[in-house]
Amino acid sequence: MEVTQVLLNAQSIDGTIRKNAEESLKQFQEQNLPGFLLSLSGELANEEKPVETRKLAGLILKNALDAKEQHRKFEFVQRWLSLDDNAKSQIKACLLKTISSPVSDARSTASQVIAKVAGIELPQKQWLELIGSLLSNVHQPLAHAKQATLETLGYLCEEVSPDVIDQDQINKILTAVVQGMSGSEENADVRLAATRALNNALGFAQANFNNDMERDYLMRVVCEATQSSDMRIRQAAFECLVSISSTYYEKLASYIQDIFNVTAKAVREDDESVALQAIEFWSSICDEEIDILEEYEGVFTGDSDITCFYFIKQALPALVPMLLELLLKQEEDQDQDEGAWNIAMAGGTCLGLVARTVGDDIVPLVVPFIEENIAKQDWRQREAATYAFGSILEGPSPEKLIPLVNVALNFMLSALTKDPNSHVKDTTAWTLGRIFEFLHGSAIGLPIITQENCIQIVTVLLHSMKDTPNVAEKACGALYFLAQGYEEVGPSSPLTPFFQEIVQSLLTVTHREDAAESRLRTAAYETLNEVVRCSTDETAPLVLQLVPVIMMELHNTLEGQKLPSDEREKQSDLHGLLCGCLQVLIQKLSSSEPTKHVFMQYADQIMGLFLRVFACRNATVHEEAMLAIGALAYATGPDFAKYMPEFYRYLEMGLQNFEEYQVCSVAVGVVGDICRALEDKIAPYCDGIMTQLLKNLSSNQLHRSVKPPIFSCFGDIALAVGEYFEKYLTWAMSALQGAAELSTHVAGDDELTDYTNSLRNGILEAYSGIFQGFKNSPKNQILIPYAPHILQFLDGIYMEKDMDDVVMKTAIGVLGDVADTLGSHVGSLIQQSLASKDFLNECLSSEDLMIKESAEWAKLAIIRAISV
C-alpha cells in the first residue's frame, strides 16, 4: 500500500477521494496493525516525504495510542503493549530520529507521539532509556533538535505521573529545562520550548520547591524570563507563574513583592496576551485564598495543614488601583461577541475575585472610582464605574453594600433606559442582576426593594427586554434573580400584580427575530421558568393558562419537521427549552391539589407531545423530555401506567445510550420516578429494566458517574414491587457486593473521594429499598444470608472515616432497615458489629438533625431486634 498517496488523498477537497482514502487506512489498520503503525512512523521520519503527509501520519499514530473515553484508552494501551517488541522498537527509533528533523511540523508531531508512548510504557518499566537519550539530545549543537527535545520532555511530563520517574532523573530534566531557559541560551525557540516544558514539569518539582536554594533559583529563572525580549517567552513565563501560584502557594511569601513588580509592569506596558497572564496570576492567588478561607472559615490553628498568607489583603492598596485602571480599556464590540476576553474583562473578573477574598476591605478602595466616573461624558468611564460596582457585590457584607445600593439603584434604573451607549446599558443590566442575586431575598435583613421601587424596577426591566439582544439577555437575567429573591415570601409576592405582564413580555422575547443571538431565547425561557417556580398561589390560575400556550408552541415546532440540518439543530434546542418549561409547569401545578386536579386534563396531550419529541431523535432533547416525563409520572401517580406501553421503548433506548451518558443517567432517574408513581404496576416492565441495568453495570464503556444512580434505582424497584423482586435478588446482591468491596479501600484525590461517596450512597440506597420492600413479606428470610456482608460494609466505611453527611444518614438508615426487616434473626450479629455501637452513638450525637432522626429510629429498631 502506497501510504503517502493515501495520506494525501485523505486530505483531498474531493469528498469521494477523501472517503475512499479513509476507508483504505481503516482496512490497513484492521488487517495489519503492526504494519500500519510502522508505515506511519516511517512516513513521519522520512525527510523526502511531503510535510502534510508526515504530519497526518503522526496524528493518526497519536490517535492510535490515546482516546478521550476511558474504556477506549484502556483498549489502546493494551493493544500497544501486546504488539511485537521488534515492531515497537522500530517505531520508537523512527520517532526519536524525527525529533532532529529540520521540518518543525514533523518534529512537533513526533514529540507528542513519543510522550504518548512513554505514557504507556514508563509505568510498565519499559523504555527506561528514553529519558537518558532525550537528555543527551539536549546538548546537541543543532538548535532545532534542542528545541524539539525540550518540547518532548514537556509533553512527557504531561503524560506520566511524577511517581513513575525517580528523583535523580527529575533533577536532570529540571536542570536541562532551566538551562534551556537561561539568558545564556541564544536561540529564542529553544528558550520558549524550555519555558513551556517547565510549566508542564512543575508537578514533578515538589522536592526542589521544598529546598530553599533550588526554589530560589527556579523562581529567579522564571522571573527573568518574564523580562525576555521575546513576547512569546514572556507570556509562557507568566503562565509558569500562574501554575506555581496554585501548585506552590505556600512557598510564595518571599517572592510575592518581586512578582507584584513584574506583573504590574506587564499589565501597564506589555502586549495584551502577556498582560492577561499577569492578571491571571492574581486571580489564581484569589482562588487559592478563597478556598483556604472557606475550608477553615478563617480560623487557623497550629495543626491546620495549610495557612493563608493573606497576599491579596497585603497587596490591596496597589492591586485595586491597577485593576480599576484596566476597566477603562474596553473593546468597542465586546458585548456582541460571546467568546470575547480582553484586558478590561480580565481586570473586572480579578476585581470580583479580590472582593470575594477580602470582603469589606475592598469597598472604600473602589467607591471613589465609581463616584468619579459614573456620570462622565466618555462612555468608557461610565461603563468602567458600573463594572467596578457590579464586580464587588459578592464578598463584602450586606451591611456594607446596602447603603451604596440604595443610593445607586435609581441612578442605574435610569441609566438602563436613558444611557445612549449600549455597552453601558449591558453592564448596568448585569450589575442590577448581581444586586438582586446577592442582596435581595429572605436571608437579607434590610430589603432594598420596596413597594415603590418594585414597580419602577419591573417596568425598566421589561422595557430593556426590547433592547439589543445582549442588553435584553442581561435584563432577563436581572428579572430571574428578582423573582428568585421572592421565592419564600409567603402567600403574596410583590411581583403578583405584574405576573401576567412579565410572562407576556418573556414570551414576546422568545419570538424575536434575533432571539438566537446572545443566548437571548434561552435566557427568556430560563427566566420564565424561574418566575413560574417562585410564583404564589394567587397566580395559580395564570400559571394554568400558560400550559396550553407552551403546549401549542411545542406542537407548532413539531409540525415543521422538514427542515435543513442546521435549522434542525436550532429546532431541537427549542424543543429542549419548551420541554424544560413544561417540566416546571408540571412540578408547580402538581404541588397543590386544586391546581393538580385542573392540570390533569392536559396530561394525555402533554405526554403525546413528549413522545413526538422522542420520535425526532436528538440526544439533547431526549434529556429534557425525559426529565419532563419524570415530573409527569410523579404528578399523575398510578395513572401513568396507561402511557407505559408506548413510552417503554424510548425509556429502554435511554438506558442503552452509553455514548451520551447524561441521557442514560436521566433515564435511570426516570425509572425511579416511575417506580414511585406506579408502585407494583411497574412489575411487567421489570425484566427488561433490570436486565438493561445489570448490563450497564458490567459494561466498562459506560461513564462511571451513571453507576451510583443505577444502584439507587435497584432500591426504587425493590421498594415498588416488594417480594416480586426475589427473581432479581441474587444478581442484584452480587453486583452490590462487588461494588461495596471496591468502594471501601479507596485512597485518592478529592474527586475520587466524592465519587466513592456517591457510589457508597447508591449501594446503601439499594440495600435500604430492598430491605424495606421485603419488610412485611413472609419471604423476608431470604435476606438473612446477606446481612453479615452488609454489616461488614457498614463497619468498613465507618472505619475509613471519610464519608460525607449524606452517606452517614443513608448508612445509619440501612442499619435500622436490616434490624427492622429481619428482627431477632440478626440481633446477635448486629450486637457484634461496630456500626451498632460507635457509629450509632456518633450519629445520635450528630448536629445534623436528619442524621440524628435516622439514628434514633435505627436505635429503636435495634432494641426491638435484640430484645425479642
Side-chain angles (χ1 to χ4, degrees):
M1 178 177 180
E2 173 45 33
V3 82
T4 309
Q5 193 50 53
V6 181
L7 288 167
L8 281 172
N9 291 352
Q11 301 174 67
S12 161
I13 38 179
D14 180 328
T16 321
I17 296 178
R18 201 167 60 239
K19 221 179 173 105
N20 289 338
E22 284 165 3
E23 199 44 52
S24 321
L25 288 168
K26 195 173 156 204
Q27 277 178 342
F28 185 8
Q29 177 168 357
E30 283 162 5
Q31 287 158 6
N32 176 5
L33 183 70
F36 176 67
L37 297 177
L38 267 167
S39 69
L40 289 174
S41 61
E43 183 79 18
L44 176 60
N46 189 333
E47 295 301 338
E48 273 143 32
K49 298 293 183 183
V51 62
E52 56 271 42
T53 64
R54 295 176 71 183
K55 199 173 161 183
L56 183 60
L59 195 64
I60 296 171
L61 196 52
K62 186 177 103 176
N63 292 340
L65 298 168
D66 194 15
K68 279 201 181 81
E69 300 86 357
Q70 276 316 105
H71 66 277
R72 290 189 53 216
K73 187 176 181 146
F74 180 75
E75 277 167 34
F76 290 175
V77 168
Q78 296 311 317
R79 189 174 75 177
W80 172 264
L81 289 172
S82 60
L83 276 184
D84 168 61
D85 284 347
N86 190 17
K88 281 191 288 201
S89 299
Q90 281 177 275
I91 293 170
K92 292 189 286 197
C94 286
L95 292 171
L96 283 171
K97 179 183 152 202
T98 312
I99 56 171
S100 303
S101 163
V103 179
S104 74
D105 275 344
R107 288 198 304 274
S108 184
T109 312
S111 293
Q112 293 172 46
V113 184
I114 290 172
K116 292 291 177 197
V117 175
I120 297 173
E121 295 204 352
L122 290 176
Q124 307 287 331
K125 301 276 180 269
Q126 298 174 14
W127 209 7
L128 295 174
E129 67 282 7
L130 168 68
I131 292 176
S133 68
L134 287 173
L135 289 168
S136 63
N137 236 1
V138 175
H139 303 299
Q140 280 208 17
L142 289 171
H144 67 254
K146 236 191 218 182
Q147 174 264 330
T149 306
L150 287 163
E151 192 176 336
T152 310
L153 286 168
Y155 287 137
L156 186 137
C157 291
E158 250 184 326
E159 288 297 326
V160 300
S161 71
D163 51 9
V164 169
I165 304 177
D166 64 55
Q167 190 57 46
D168 180 48
Q169 282 198 310
I170 290 174
N171 292 343
K172 287 178 177 161
I173 292 174
L174 288 169
T175 305
V177 167
V178 171
Q179 273 173 352
M181 283 175 73
S182 72
S184 59
E185 172 57 61
E186 286 153 22
N187 184 293
D189 290 338
V190 172
R191 290 210 308 278
L192 177 64
T195 311
R196 289 180 177 159
L198 178 64
N199 198 353
N200 289 340
L202 282 167
F204 291 70
Q206 204 81 42
N208 313 81
F209 263 85
N210 285 334
N211 174 314
D212 295 355
M213 274 175 60
E214 292 183 25
R215 183 177 65 244
D216 285 348
Y217 183 56
L218 281 165
M219 291 300 292
R220 194 177 80 231
V221 171
V222 175
C223 286
E224 279 169 6
T226 65
Q227 306 303 303
S228 162
S229 58
D230 185 309
M231 186 192 90
R232 299 168 307 162
I233 296 174
R234 295 198 300 276
Q235 183 183 338
F238 277 113
E239 283 168 7
C240 269
L241 281 178
V242 173
S243 303
I244 290 169
S245 69
S246 58
T247 315
Y248 300 109
Y249 167 84
E250 69 285 1
K251 302 280 184 217
L252 285 176
S254 48
Y255 314 105
I256 204 82
Q257 185 60 56
D258 290 341
I259 295 175
F260 182 82
N261 297 341
V262 296
T263 51
K265 177 171 180 268
V267 167
R268 276 197 311 273
E269 300 166 15
D270 213 329
D271 198 86
E272 178 166 86
S273 61
V274 181
L276 283 170
Q277 289 305 319
I279 301 163
E280 187 56 38
F281 172 83
W282 292 102
S283 291
S284 171
I285 293 284
C286 288
D287 285 333
E288 290 302 308
E289 297 197 342
I290 289 167
D291 283 351
I292 295 168
L293 293 167
E294 270 177 10
E295 193 162 330
Y296 295 105
E297 290 167 357
V299 182
F300 296 101
T301 53
D303 56 1
S304 304
D305 50 357
I306 185 157
T307 40
C308 183
F309 288 97
Y310 299 101
F311 291 138
I312 299 294
K313 205 174 180 139
Q314 291 162 28
L316 269 188
L319 183 60
V320 172
M322 172 177 98
L323 295 172
L324 290 171
E325 214 173 294
L326 294 175
L327 302 187
L328 293 159
K329 298 186 176 177
Q330 307 94 326
E331 283 173 9
E332 287 290 344
D333 52 358
Q334 64 185 43
D335 299 330
Q336 273 71 35
D337 172 12
E338 275 184 49
W341 184 245
N342 59 45
I343 196 132
M345 295 166 85
T349 303
C350 188
L351 190 65
L353 288 166
V354 171
R356 286 177 54 202
T357 312
V358 302
D360 289 357
D361 292 353
I362 197 170
V363 178
L365 293 168
V366 175
V367 168
F369 177 83
I370 300 172
E371 289 171 342
E372 189 186 328
N373 291 290
I374 196 80
K376 283 283 203 296
Q377 260 329 105
D378 180 355
W379 71 266
R380 287 177 185 281
Q381 289 173 286
R382 297 197 304 279
E383 195 274 339
T386 314
Y387 192 14
F389 187 37
S391 299
I392 62 165
L393 291 167
E394 184 187 8
S397 62
E399 295 73 28
K400 193 85 175 166
L401 291 171
I402 285 174
L404 295 175
V405 169
N406 287 333
V407 174
L409 198 56
N410 271 341
F411 185 90
M412 298 189 80
L413 291 168
S414 126
L416 187 51
T417 36
K418 299 195 179 96
D419 200 289
N421 182 278
S422 173
H423 277 271
V424 178
K425 286 186 190 175
D426 181 297
T427 306
T428 304
W430 172 78
T431 300
L432 284 167
R434 304 245 315 162
I435 290 174
F436 302 147
E437 182 179 0
F438 299 113
L439 298 168
H440 155 62
S442 53
I444 308 284
L446 306 153
I448 48 170
I449 299 172
T450 58
Q451 258 183 321
E452 293 68 55
N453 65 12
C454 188
I455 301 175
Q456 190 194 358
I457 290 169
V458 173
T459 313
V460 168
L461 292 178
L462 297 187
H463 174 76
S464 294
M465 285 184 203
K466 303 186 180 96
D467 211 314
T468 55
N470 55 303
V471 175
E473 187 263 336
K474 305 276 193 319
C476 288
L479 187 56
Y480 176 98
F481 289 115
L482 181 68
Q484 196 178 70
Y486 286 127
E487 189 180 350
E488 290 159 8
V489 288
S492 178
S493 159
L495 291 184
T496 298
F498 314 108
F499 186 84
Q500 187 76 28
E501 196 186 344
I502 289 172
V503 168
Q504 201 42 62
S505 299
L506 287 164
L507 288 172
T508 308
V509 171
T510 65
H511 290 262
R512 279 175 57 156
E513 292 284 311
D514 53 7
E517 292 170 37
S518 297
R519 280 188 72 253
L520 178 55
R521 182 177 288 116
T522 308
Y525 276 115
E526 283 171 356
T527 304
L528 179 61
N529 294 349
E530 198 60 10
V531 168
V532 167
R533 202 179 64 75
C534 300
S535 62
T536 58
D537 291 346
E538 297 174 299
T539 44
L542 298 172
V543 175
L544 267 166
Q545 288 171 23
L546 193 53
V547 178
V549 175
I550 302 291
M551 283 167 63
M552 198 62 203
E553 299 261 330
L554 184 53
H555 172 80
N556 292 342
T557 61
L558 286 162
E559 290 301 292
Q561 270 313 292
K562 313 284 177 284
L563 290 167
S565 62
D566 56 329
E567 286 296 315
R568 265 209 302 276
E569 183 66 33
K570 285 184 203 153
Q571 197 73 347
S572 76
D573 289 347
L574 187 53
H575 289 166
L577 292 169
L578 290 163
C579 288
C581 189
L582 283 168
Q583 182 193 344
V584 172
L585 287 166
I586 294 166
Q587 285 166 331
K588 186 71 186 175
L589 292 166
S590 58
S591 63
S592 81
E593 277 309 315
T595 51
K596 181 174 171 176
H597 180 72
V598 187
F599 164 74
M600 281 309 155
Q601 63 181 350
Y602 299 115
D604 290 1
Q605 287 166 283
I606 289 182
M607 189 65 190
L609 287 168
F610 291 153
L611 291 170
R612 283 179 64 192
V613 170
F614 282 129
C616 303
R617 269 314 288 152
N618 179 309
T620 52
V621 162
H622 270 183
E623 201 175 329
E624 306 288 346
M626 263 301 169
L627 286 163
I629 286 177
L632 189 66
Y634 184 77
T636 50
D639 292 345
F640 191 81
K642 62 181 172 183
Y643 307 127
M644 280 302 286
E646 226 185 319
F647 170 55
Y648 180 71
R649 66 193 181 106
Y650 294 117
L651 182 63
E652 200 164 53
M653 272 156 60
L655 293 174
Q656 288 162 354
N657 194 342
F658 287 4
E659 288 301 304
E660 290 134 349
Y661 65 89
Q662 292 92 335
V663 177
C664 184
S665 188
V666 167
V668 171
V670 170
V671 172
D673 293 331
I674 294 171
C675 286
R676 286 183 280 281
L678 297 186
E679 295 183 334
D680 57 358
K681 284 192 193 165
I682 196 169
Y685 301 97
C686 283
D687 283 6
I689 292 173
M690 281 299 293
T691 306
Q692 190 55 50
L693 291 178
L694 287 161
K695 207 184 268 175
N696 288 11
L697 283 175
S698 61
S699 153
N700 62 356
Q701 292 178 11
L702 182 61
H703 195 275
R704 68 178 192 181
S705 66
V706 188
K707 298 196 174 177
I710 290 177
F711 287 126
S712 306
C713 195
F714 285 175
D716 295 328
I717 293 169
L719 203 50
V721 299
E723 62 183 38
Y724 180 80
F725 195 78
E726 183 186 358
K727 60 193 291 196
Y728 315 116
L729 193 64
T730 40
W731 304 104
M733 284 300 204
S734 132
L736 284 161
Q737 270 177 351
E741 277 153 25
L742 281 177
S743 85
T744 35
H745 306 291
V746 191
D749 53 12
D750 294 349
E751 196 184 323
L752 191 62
T753 310
D754 289 347
Y755 176 70
T756 304
N757 271 317
S758 82
L759 183 61
R760 289 172 182 170
N761 197 52
I763 295 166
L764 291 163
E765 284 182 342
Y767 285 144
S768 184
I770 291 168
F771 274 79
Q772 287 177 33
F774 277 92
K775 183 182 173 185
N776 297 319
S777 157
K779 292 186 175 173
N780 65 16
Q781 316 272 308
I782 58 173
L783 296 176
I784 295 173
Y786 302 108
H789 165 78
I790 293 174
L791 292 168
Q792 202 183 331
F793 176 51
L794 292 173
D795 286 355
I797 54 180
Y798 172 64
M799 301 279 287
E800 293 208 5
K801 298 285 183 223
D802 59 354
M803 58 178 139
D804 58 24
D805 288 353
V806 181
V807 174
M808 207 164 187
K809 179 185 170 301
T810 323
I812 205 67
V814 168
L815 179 66
D817 290 325
V818 172
D820 193 37
T821 301
L822 298 178
S824 57
H825 298 290
V826 289
S828 60
L829 258 178
I830 286 181
Q831 275 179 297
Q832 292 157 26
S833 74
L834 262 182
S836 67
K837 303 187 201 55
D838 303 4
F839 182 32
L840 181 64
N841 290 333
E842 198 172 303
C843 293
L844 285 167
S845 57
S846 167
E847 287 172 12
D848 183 315
L849 281 177
M850 310 271 282
I851 293 177
K852 203 172 176 166
E853 275 174 28
S854 285
E856 279 162 1
W857 175 80
K859 185 181 174 180
L860 289 173
I862 292 169
I863 291 169
R864 281 199 302 272
I866 291 170
S867 62
V868 174

